[in-house]
Amino acid sequence: VGQSALQRTLDRARHRELEVRRRQELLAVRNAELQRHRERLEAEVAARTRDLQVIFDNVVTGFLVVGPDGRIRPGFTRSCHELAPAPLAVGMPLTDAFALDERAAGALRIALEQVFDDVLPEEASLDILARRLPGRAGGRVRLDARTIRADGAVEAVLITLTDVTTLERAECENGHFRLLVSLLRQRDGFRVFLQDLRAQLDEAITLIDSDQVALRRIVHTIKGNAASFGLADVAEVAHHIEDAPTIDRAGLADLDAHLRTFLHANRDVLGAGIVDGGDE
């Protein structure tokens, strides 16, 4: 009996030892897993930090201050010269720093005046002022603004210029990709739209010399249908044609050319049947 009790005590001791060893091995495995996981996360964080640093290093941002007269004050950063199409100078009107037509320049002047008038909520007036403008060497620049106040009144506006050329290119490419995906999802409807548009253009040509009212109505319909399918360029051309005093063959040919250019540029994606107007 005594030997059996001793044996049981030894068995329990060995069992506890095995259990402790098993737990230690399990803990070691878990610690190793945690270490690998931590190292992986650290590597990922480091990689993302490097990516962000690359972005920050390659994004050019400039700062300048504009007074109530709309002219650039002293102290603008050197990087502004890399962004604005025109060489900057103290006292230059902000609108002269960019290659703007009179309409765009006027809109920028009015938006700047609204900030200094300080009638609208500040956030609203600054949102109106924010815009994208032509930059140096065909680039694009985003203009953002913040007010500089003295005794509660807007004394000046701090303008931030940011190079968004690469961003706009990526946005354009993504937008084009989304458009193609949308057209493929509504393939049958797009096919019907193209068939109707071709018939409408044929009818429009016959009305050039006889019925401008009906012709304008057809172009308006084409504009709306093109916009509904996301064909912004085609819709814009139709809009300009519709606004012209007289719709002529050249305008309709331009509309047809824009549509054909889009279709043939995306023939491999949309399919020959849709592009050529035949069966798949």
Side-chain angles (χ1 to χ4, degrees):
V1 176
Q3 205 172 16
S4 297
L6 178 60
Q7 185 64 41
R8 287 195 294 273
T9 300
L10 291 174
D11 289 343
R12 285 197 295 270
R14 283 196 293 270
H15 178 75
R16 284 196 297 270
E17 182 181 357
L18 290 173
E19 182 65 19
V20 169
R21 187 179 303 167
R22 187 187 68 81
R23 289 181 179 179
Q24 288 175 339
E25 291 173 351
L26 180 60
L27 182 60
V29 170
R30 289 178 176 175
N31 286 338
E33 290 178 351
L34 288 174
Q35 178 66 18
R36 288 194 297 271
H37 183 61
R38 183 179 64 81
E39 291 174 352
R40 185 169 60 250
L41 288 178
E42 288 177 349
E44 183 176 346
V45 169
R48 293 189 177 188
T49 301
R50 287 193 298 271
D51 291 342
L52 288 173
Q53 191 60 52
V54 169
I55 293 173
F56 291 145
D57 290 344
N58 288 279
V59 171
V60 179
T61 301
F63 301 93
L64 57 89
V65 176
V66 177
D69 57 359
R71 296 179 180 273
I72 298 173
R73 290 185 172 182
F76 54 84
T77 59
R78 184 179 302 175
S79 54
C80 289
H81 289 300
E82 302 177 38
L83 297 168
L88 298 189
V90 175
M92 171 190 286
L94 178 64
T95 52
D96 290 357
F98 301 94
L100 303 178
D101 57 32
E102 185 53 39
R103 181 177 179 181
L108 180 56
R109 279 193 295 269
I110 291 172
L112 189 59
E113 289 170 2
Q114 286 180 325
V115 176
F116 282 103
D117 289 342
D118 208 16
V119 175
L120 295 174
E122 180 178 303
E123 184 178 351
S125 62
L126 293 179
D127 282 345
I128 294 172
L129 180 57
R131 63 198 59 218
R132 293 186 179 184
L133 299 167
R136 181 175 291 275
R140 295 287 291 173
V141 174
R142 187 182 71 228
L143 182 153
D144 296 296
R146 294 187 64 179
T147 58
I148 300 174
R149 294 180 177 269
D151 297 327
V154 180
E155 178 190 49
V157 174
L158 173 65
I159 301 292
T160 303
L161 303 177
T162 306
D163 184 355
V164 292
T165 306
T166 303
L167 175 63
E168 282 206 351
R169 188 179 299 119
E171 289 175 342
C172 183
E173 291 173 353
N174 288 340
H176 183 70
F177 175 76
R178 288 193 298 269
L179 170 60
L180 293 177
V181 170
S182 174
L183 295 179
L184 291 175
R185 285 176 175 170
Q186 44 187 338
R187 193 180 187 86
D188 292 339
F190 185 56
R191 186 197 302 276
V192 172
F193 158 73
L194 292 177
Q195 292 171 348
D196 289 345
L197 190 149
R198 291 176 176 120
Q200 289 165 337
L201 285 176
D202 290 341
E203 181 183 0
I205 292 175
T206 67
L207 298 173
I208 290 176
D209 299 323
S210 60
D211 194 341
Q212 283 282 316
V213 174
L215 177 55
R216 204 171 299 277
R217 188 161 52 243
I218 290 175
V219 173
H220 181 78
T221 300
I222 291 175
K223 178 182 72 174
N225 290 341
S228 70
F229 278 97
L231 302 179
D233 288 345
V234 176
E236 184 176 357
V237 172
H239 176 70
H240 288 307
I241 295 172
E242 185 185 11
D243 282 351
T246 301
I247 299 177
D248 55 21
R249 292 180 183 274
L252 295 178
D254 189 30
L255 180 60
D256 184 52
H258 271 76
L259 176 65
R260 290 181 183 275
T261 298
F262 171 80
L263 292 176
H264 285 282
N266 298 283
R267 181 189 184 93
D268 291 343
V269 177
L270 297 175
I274 285 184
V275 173
D276 299 332
D279 296 329
E280 296 286 351

